Amino acid sequence: MSEPPSVIIVGAGLAGLAAARTLADAGVRVRILEASDAVGGRVRTDRVDGFLLDRGFQVLMTAYPECHSWVNGAIDLRPFYPGAEVWWDGRFHRVADPFRRPWDALASVASPIGSWGDKARIACVRHRALSGSMEDFWNREECSTDEFLRGHGFSKVMLGRFFRPFLGGIFLESELRTPSRQFEFVFRMMALGATVVPADGMGVIPGYLLQQIPAGPIELLLGRKVVELIRGPGDSVRGVQAEDGTVFMADRVILAVEAPAAARLLKLPLTPRSRSVSTWYFSTSARARPNPILHLNGSGQGPVNHAVWMNEVSPNYAPAGQGLLSATVLGAEPVPEAEVRMQMGQWFGVDPAAWRHLRTYVIHHAQPEPGELARAIPGGFRGGAPGLSVAGDAWGQVSIDGALKSGRKAAEALLESIDAG
């Protein structure tokens, strides 16, 4: 009996883990090489003095199609309030989802966060986002999110006070240059499901995926940074070389790393841009009235784009009696801690001097610039070389859903090629 085919997966982020599980379920021998000390890629959680610190503020949307196959129903998920509180003119104004919190939405209809017409237009955009199949959805005409929203008649006030900080927290840019189809996809997901975090931090997601991979046909090697693709006849990819000089050979290779690393290994004549972010964590005394809602900077004053009390979304994020404030600044430029504290003190009406700074994460490659890497290689997911497939949200839809989907599809395409061969 011939030995089953072997595959090397470079990267143990969500895409790499999804590919590994798909292949292992089919009986393929899989070896994962991961440069860091744990799985998860950009989705990881650290435990610091009893607090759970996600590496950058992240959320999961339960309506993501891939989540129904990978994580929904298997992980304890805690929802955010469906809406946001927007800081403007010295206080917060609540913006509620009128379909999930109609009475709250009615109470806030006269708030200064957009006009009555703006609030009515949200319903129109929601209807459009929910129309059609997912296949048709991604074939719609595309423009920037800014052009899309202006084209639907939203006012400058609504764009500045709500959409820029709200979508800035999702797309990590405040100019609204993200492709409109990406915006409509997110809007569709928010309309169909809840926005959540796992009760024990975002790192639970890759941990769960790893647990679901059959132990027999898989080998996971941590701390193995890949620096070279090994080429064979016809420029086919037959293996990889690690930073320590070790060579690993296989029948096929899946490259599931972040965009800059993929460009280096593929020797592309470009350095893909990434969107960066800085997230600050402070420990405080627990607040008397929990409020599991996103707080947005509608004024444009101060470095923080959005903040949330993570322990009020899930109590597991902080020890009993303690609060955990997450404050996110778009970009990776250094920001004085005093400015972050001052802004948060103004927002929440407390003296932040007693807060303990737990950690700041400066993430230079928090999100790939949508479409930039995929446009660099004709053939996209095939990677442009025999024996090589690529995966990761840099090659398509930028999201957790996109990462999982790309890993699954790369593995399925590889299985088809094995069957055909």
Side-chain angles (χ1 to χ4, degrees):
M1 181 180 294
S2 62
E3 196 171 44
S6 62
V7 176
I8 288 173
I9 298 175
V10 183
L14 297 185
L17 293 172
R21 178 176 165 184
T22 303
L23 293 171
D25 285 345
V28 175
R29 292 177 295 130
V30 178
R31 173 179 282 156
I32 307 176
L33 303 179
E34 168 56 42
S36 69
D37 59 354
V39 303
R42 304 193 302 269
V43 183
R44 292 183 59 178
T45 302
D46 296 321
R47 185 176 290 274
V48 178
D49 297 340
F51 294 88
L52 298 176
L53 310 183
D54 294 331
R55 294 193 179 185
F57 173 72
Q58 302 174 51
V59 298
L60 180 69
M61 296 184 183
T62 59
Y64 280 154
E66 293 295 317
C67 287
H68 294 289
S69 302
W70 298 101
V71 299
N72 277 3
I75 295 176
D76 183 9
L77 301 174
R78 303 300 175 91
F80 287 77
Y81 177 90
E85 289 197 340
V86 182
W87 180 262
W88 170 256
D89 196 25
R91 68 184 185 92
F92 282 114
H93 304 269
R94 179 159 293 200
V95 177
D97 182 336
F99 295 91
R100 288 192 170 89
R101 294 291 191 275
W103 293 111
D104 290 357
L106 185 62
S108 63
V109 73
S111 75
I113 311 303
S115 66
W116 288 64
D118 286 323
K119 295 174 174 69
R121 291 181 189 100
I122 288 180
C124 296
V125 170
R126 182 181 188 273
H127 176 75
R128 174 187 160 94
L130 290 173
S131 301
S133 67
M134 288 300 297
E135 290 74 17
D136 296 335
F137 185 86
W138 290 107
N139 292 320
R140 291 179 178 176
E141 186 177 348
E142 191 166 71
C143 58
S144 72
T145 296
D146 181 73
E147 291 171 320
F148 177 89
L149 294 173
R150 290 180 186 276
H152 280 76
F154 286 100
S155 68
K156 290 183 179 180
V157 168
M158 190 68 173
L159 290 173
R161 296 180 191 175
F162 177 73
F163 279 117
R164 292 192 189 281
F166 180 68
L167 296 176
I170 298 172
F171 301 134
L172 307 187
E173 55 93 4
S174 58
E175 295 84 10
L176 303 180
R177 66 177 185 273
T178 296
S180 57
R181 279 184 288 195
Q182 184 80 15
F183 161 73
E184 287 197 88
F185 173 75
V186 168
F187 215 78
R188 183 180 181 123
M189 295 302 99
M190 290 190 295
L192 292 175
T195 301
V196 302
V197 291
D200 292 314
M202 291 292 291
V204 167
I205 298 173
Y208 173 76
L209 293 177
L210 182 63
Q211 292 173 3
Q212 298 307 301
I213 300 174
I218 184 172
E219 179 184 18
L220 171 63
L221 299 179
L222 300 175
R224 294 298 184 100
K225 181 180 179 179
V226 170
V227 295
E228 191 77 30
L229 300 177
I230 305 300
R231 303 281 180 164
D235 203 35
S236 63
V237 176
R238 300 307 305 271
V240 300
Q241 180 178 324
E243 192 172 41
D244 63 3
T246 305
V247 172
F248 299 91
M249 303 301 291
D251 296 306
R252 289 170 176 80
V253 172
I254 293 179
L255 197 59
V257 294
E258 62 188 17
R264 287 194 299 271
L265 289 169
L266 294 170
K267 301 187 185 310
L268 298 181
L270 85 162
T271 300
R273 293 173 297 166
S274 297
R275 297 177 181 181
S276 56
V277 70
S278 304
T279 299
W280 297 69
Y281 286 104
F282 297 95
S283 67
T284 74
S285 299
R287 301 195 301 172
R289 299 179 63 185
N291 189 15
I293 193 170
L294 189 65
H295 299 81
L296 302 176
N297 185 353
S299 70
Q301 299 176 353
V304 176
N305 181 77
H306 60 274
V308 62
W309 296 87
M310 294 304 301
N311 63 297
E312 297 177 6
V313 182
S314 170
N316 296 0
Y317 269 78
Q322 295 291 300
L324 176 64
L325 178 64
S326 165
T328 297
V329 178
L330 303 185
E333 294 297 321
V335 173
E337 180 181 327
E339 291 186 17
V340 177
R341 285 181 181 267
M342 180 182 301
Q343 184 180 351
M344 294 298 91
Q346 292 172 344
W347 278 19
F348 299 111
V350 297
D351 180 2
W355 293 357
R356 183 161 66 99
H357 177 215
L358 294 170
R359 188 168 291 182
T360 298
Y361 293 95
V362 180
I363 305 169
H364 293 278
H365 306 297
Q367 279 187 19
E369 194 67 30
E372 194 165 70
L373 188 57
R375 288 191 294 268
I377 297 184
F381 281 91
R382 291 293 180 179
L388 176 68
S389 297
V390 296
D393 61 351
W395 299 94
Q397 169 202 330
V398 179
S399 66
I400 287 176
D401 184 76
L404 292 171
K405 180 179 179 180
S406 73
R408 173 179 61 80
K409 289 182 71 68
E412 289 173 349
L414 189 150
L415 290 171
E416 289 178 6
S417 70
I418 290 174
D419 292 340

